[in-house]
Amino acid sequence: MTFKALIVDKDEDGNTSASIQQIEETRLPEGDVTVAVEYSTLNYKDGLCLGPGGGLVRNYPHVPGIDFAGTVEESSDDWYQPGDKVVLTGWRVGEAWWGGYAQKARVKGEWLVPLPQGLTTRDAMAVGTAGFTAMLAIMALEDHGLKPENGPVLVTGAAGGVGSVATAILSNLGYEVAAVTGRESTWEYLKALGASRIVPRGEVSETVKRPLESETWAGCIDAVGGSMLARILGQMKYGASVAAVGLAGGAALPATVVPFLLRGVNLLGIDSVMKPYDARLKAWERLAKDLPMDKLETVIQAATLEDLPQLGADILKGQVKGRVVVDLNA
């Protein structure tokens, strides 16, 4: 029996190309659990792996897709039985390991989590790594004292995958959300997700000579990094925290230590790739409870495997809004 997969290959000149192929199950990597993939999604890393690779892909030919959800077909792992619904995010699947852009995937059982009660496999991929990361960031901010009464929470890159889900969850939990975006066309979209204030990117994107500005934000989820993060650190309230989840604006941080020393600001690093199992379960349980799926439904773009090469190029240009859900059986 063959199944459909999106295969990325590289020629002798280093050029990559993506094609839909029918492949044999024997080509899947070794693993404990074989999953019939029902849905996947699209992240920035997927865009890289669909194209030049960005240094993420080790070997070609390759199946990208860092997230997937589906039903267990075969398992030698005691935790999972055929028929179980499961979710996978992270663990470098879709990068160093064949991923979810195929109708079947084979992985280590320890990388999976059970599908949370109340969510479908489609829901789980509407959430994906982006939503999972957003939830981890919110939990980290809460662990460091963030409460709705503390004041507004800033979300940068708010129209992206992490920012969209973070905005919806924070609003649902009663927080005042200030959403940063560089696209005026996304303002109504962000307000519909629950943003109470829109902050044009230009207001926070440039560094200033003053290491401290007025205390404005009770918390921040930052997907941009670079000069924007440096600027925001000087605007945080005393004892407030920034959860860093991305580097769309660059990996360099042209900041000073003054906000940390004089205001006790915390910079929290959020990693979703290697997160331990128990923390993953807790985050998915919170997502099932705290994410308003009706709001998320309005930002879903349906896609098939055939759509992914173009969507991968689009997401690298910042032209994808909200969440892309890939139906492997469409």
Side-chain angles (χ1 to χ4, degrees):
M1 294 291 289
T2 62
F3 60 93
K4 187 165 64 171
L6 190 156
I7 303 288
V8 178
D9 214 340
K10 180 179 283 190
D11 64 22
E12 294 179 356
D13 297 323
N15 300 310
T16 57
S17 60
S19 62
I20 308 298
Q21 301 179 22
Q22 289 287 330
I23 67 171
E24 299 281 347
E25 190 170 325
T26 53
R27 293 186 64 184
L28 290 172
E30 294 182 1
D32 306 319
V33 183
T34 302
V35 179
V37 180
E38 297 166 13
Y39 293 95
S40 186
T41 183
L42 179 74
N43 300 280
Y44 191 87
K45 282 184 177 180
D46 296 314
L48 292 173
C49 295
L50 284 162
L56 299 175
V57 179
R58 291 180 180 175
N59 299 296
Y60 292 91
H62 179 68
V63 176
I66 69 170
D67 300 338
F68 66 77
T71 303
V72 172
E73 277 196 347
E74 299 177 18
S75 175
S76 59
D77 185 309
D78 292 340
W79 282 17
Y80 298 104
Q81 305 298 322
D84 289 347
K85 298 288 186 179
V86 292
V87 180
L88 183 139
T89 61
W91 301 112
R92 298 213 65 201
V93 171
E95 304 171 41
W97 195 276
W98 278 21
Y101 290 168
Q103 290 177 314
K104 291 189 181 184
R106 183 176 292 135
V107 295
K108 296 181 180 180
E110 63 196 70
W111 295 345
L112 298 165
V113 295
L115 180 72
Q117 187 173 359
L119 295 183
T120 66
T121 51
R122 181 178 179 274
D123 292 338
M125 288 299 96
V127 175
T129 282
F132 177 62
T133 303
M135 192 73 249
L136 291 175
I138 292 169
M139 289 164 59
L141 292 174
E142 291 174 341
D143 289 343
H144 284 77
L146 182 66
K147 299 176 181 178
E149 57 266 28
N150 293 1
V153 178
L154 190 70
V155 177
T156 72
V162 177
S164 295
V165 179
T167 298
I169 296 173
L170 287 167
S171 173
N172 190 51
L173 292 173
Y175 288 93
E176 177 187 349
V177 182
V180 179
T181 180
R183 294 176 284 171
E184 187 172 349
S185 60
T186 65
W187 288 10
E188 292 307 314
Y189 161 83
L190 290 168
K191 289 176 182 177
L193 286 176
S196 52
R197 174 180 170 187
I198 302 297
V199 180
R201 183 191 299 159
E203 292 187 10
V204 289
S205 61
E206 299 298 326
T207 55
V208 294
K209 292 183 178 179
R210 291 173 293 160
L212 294 176
E213 300 181 67
S214 298
E215 297 182 45
T216 305
W217 316 115
C220 173
I221 296 176
D222 174 58
V224 177
S227 59
M228 183 179 294
L229 174 56
R231 178 78 181 274
I232 290 167
L233 287 169
Q235 298 178 349
M236 302 305 295
K237 292 187 175 186
Y238 187 89
S241 300
V242 178
V245 302
L247 40 64
L253 184 59
T256 76
V257 298
V258 173
F260 308 117
L261 301 180
L262 298 188
R263 284 194 185 154
V265 171
N266 304 295
L267 181 58
L268 312 175
I270 306 300
D271 167 60
S272 64
V273 177
M274 307 302 290
K275 205 70 176 176
Y277 180 79
D278 288 346
R280 288 176 181 272
L281 279 185
K282 183 177 179 181
W284 277 104
E285 289 169 358
R286 285 286 306 271
L287 283 161
K289 179 170 67 79
D290 294 332
L291 174 59
M293 290 304 300
D294 57 336
K295 286 187 177 180
L296 194 60
E297 188 66 35
T298 66
V299 306
I300 291 174
Q301 176 180 348
T304 65
L305 282 182
E306 288 76 10
D307 299 323
L308 285 170
Q310 182 59 55
L311 286 170
D314 291 344
I315 199 169
L316 295 181
K317 299 174 186 175
Q319 296 175 351
V320 172
K321 180 177 70 175
R323 302 292 298 131
V324 173
V325 174
V326 184
D327 186 346
L328 272 295
N329 297 305

